[in-house]
Amino acid sequence: MLILEFGILGFCPSREAAGLEVLQGPEGQVWWELFSIVVFGSIVNEGYLNSASEGEEFCIYNRNPNACSYGVTVGVLAFLTCLLYLALDVYFPQISSVKDRKKAVLSDIGVSAFWAFLWFVGFCFLANQWQVSKPKDNPLNEGTDAARAAIAFSFFSIFTWSLSAALAVRRFKDLTFQEEYSTLFPASAQP
């Protein structure tokens, strides 16, 4: 298993993370990007159906256009957020100030927790609307696999974004330790 030198935002000294090395750094963000692509891609591709008797499309989730719109919006915005934090991850080693690093990690904690909440809401909303969908609206079961995939990957995204927040909390503790250590033992005082 690949052991990474950098966490999602910076150096991660704890390598005994019980197999979490793969979810740290840019390689880990690929999973979050993939999950968001699956959610919005499956809804955009097969989330809307045409009825022979009606002239317009309707959402596969109980004919509720808000369900499809929420899934697509959260998926696209989560993907863009992943790209933003991927750029920050590349730039992070160049940040020399511990205070600026702490700000970046604090933003990572807040954004990751916020996205975990949005994915939780999305999972509950999509699962509920799928549960109350009427079989007569989709007699040929078109797009059912895509609808289930969007629900499943919304569920998986809750845990990946929560894990991201937990790893960011650990990085914040490491940065706080580094700041205290550099205050107590300045580099100029070393022989």
Side-chain angles (χ1 to χ4, degrees):
M1 182 179 286
L2 177 65
I3 297 177
L4 302 173
E5 291 294 323
F6 289 92
I8 293 173
L9 287 176
F11 182 71
C12 182
S14 175
R15 295 185 185 196
E16 305 86 31
L20 298 179
E21 297 90 3
V22 174
L23 296 176
Q24 297 174 354
E27 292 83 0
Q29 288 181 356
V30 169
W31 290 105
W32 297 305
E33 291 172 2
L34 179 67
F35 288 176
S36 62
I37 289 172
V38 168
V39 171
F40 80 80
S42 61
I43 293 174
V44 166
N45 191 32
E46 296 186 34
Y48 294 94
L49 299 175
N50 291 326
S51 174
S53 61
E54 299 173 20
E56 61 184 58
E57 296 180 326
F58 62 90
C59 180
I60 196 169
Y61 296 102
N62 194 30
R63 292 183 169 252
N64 186 348
N66 294 328
C68 287
S69 297
Y70 186 86
V72 170
T73 302
V74 168
V76 169
L77 291 178
F79 178 75
L80 295 174
T81 302
C82 286
L83 293 179
L84 175 73
Y85 276 90
L86 182 64
L88 184 60
D89 193 21
V90 170
Y91 178 69
F92 192 78
Q94 297 173 356
I95 301 173
S96 59
S97 170
V98 175
K99 289 184 181 185
D100 290 339
R101 284 181 178 226
K102 284 174 74 173
K103 289 177 187 176
V105 174
L106 281 173
S107 75
D108 189 20
I109 293 169
V111 167
S112 297
F114 177 69
W115 279 108
F117 172 73
L118 287 181
W119 281 116
F120 175 74
V121 169
F123 166 72
C124 292
F125 187 36
L126 293 177
N128 175 264
Q129 291 301 303
W130 181 248
Q131 181 183 11
V132 296
S133 295
K134 298 168 189 69
K136 68 176 180 137
D137 288 337
N138 189 8
L140 300 176
N141 287 330
E142 297 175 88
T144 56
D145 291 337
R148 290 183 187 123
I151 293 169
F153 280 92
S154 294
F155 181 73
F156 299 150
S157 294
I158 297 168
F159 296 107
T160 57
W161 283 97
S162 298
L163 178 63
S164 175
L167 292 173
V169 167
R170 189 174 71 186
R171 278 187 309 282
F172 182 74
K173 290 178 182 178
D174 292 341
L175 282 173
T176 304
F177 172 77
Q178 289 174 1
E179 182 180 39
E180 290 175 5
Y181 184 83
S182 64
T183 302
L184 293 173
F185 305 105
S188 60
Q190 294 179 355

